[in-house]
Amino acid sequence: MSNKTFDTLRTIEAIVVPLCTFLIAMTDTWDVPHATQIAATIAAVNVAFGAVIEALRKAYNKELEEEK
């Protein structure tokens, strides 16, 4: 995986998904149906996405160590 791809995924995981969760959580205040369930689903996806990013980071770091 290229650095650019990893950086893009990391940005999505660290900034975009939590921002979406916040915005959807706010919709509960505006009485949007199922807002809590939507926010919980996005938060769960973010946790899973974070785990994937962490696994990729560890694999990348291991690859760097092997090249040395």
Side-chain angles (χ1 to χ4, degrees):
M1 175 180 304
S2 72
N3 285 341
K4 183 174 177 151
T5 302
F6 180 81
D7 291 342
T8 301
L9 290 174
R10 180 72 176 111
T11 300
I12 291 169
E13 186 266 335
I15 297 171
V16 176
V17 176
L19 180 60
C20 290
T21 303
F22 169 76
L23 293 174
I24 291 173
M26 292 304 297
T27 61
D28 189 39
T29 303
W30 305 319
D31 295 324
V32 173
H34 308 292
T36 304
Q37 292 88 342
I38 293 168
T41 300
I42 291 176
V45 168
N46 189 38
V47 169
F49 202 40
V52 170
I53 294 294
E54 182 63 19
L56 290 171
R57 185 186 64 77
K58 284 184 178 182
Y60 179 75
N61 288 340
K62 184 178 179 181
E63 186 178 303
L64 285 178
E65 283 295 318
E66 290 174 356
E67 288 178 4
K68 290 182 180 180

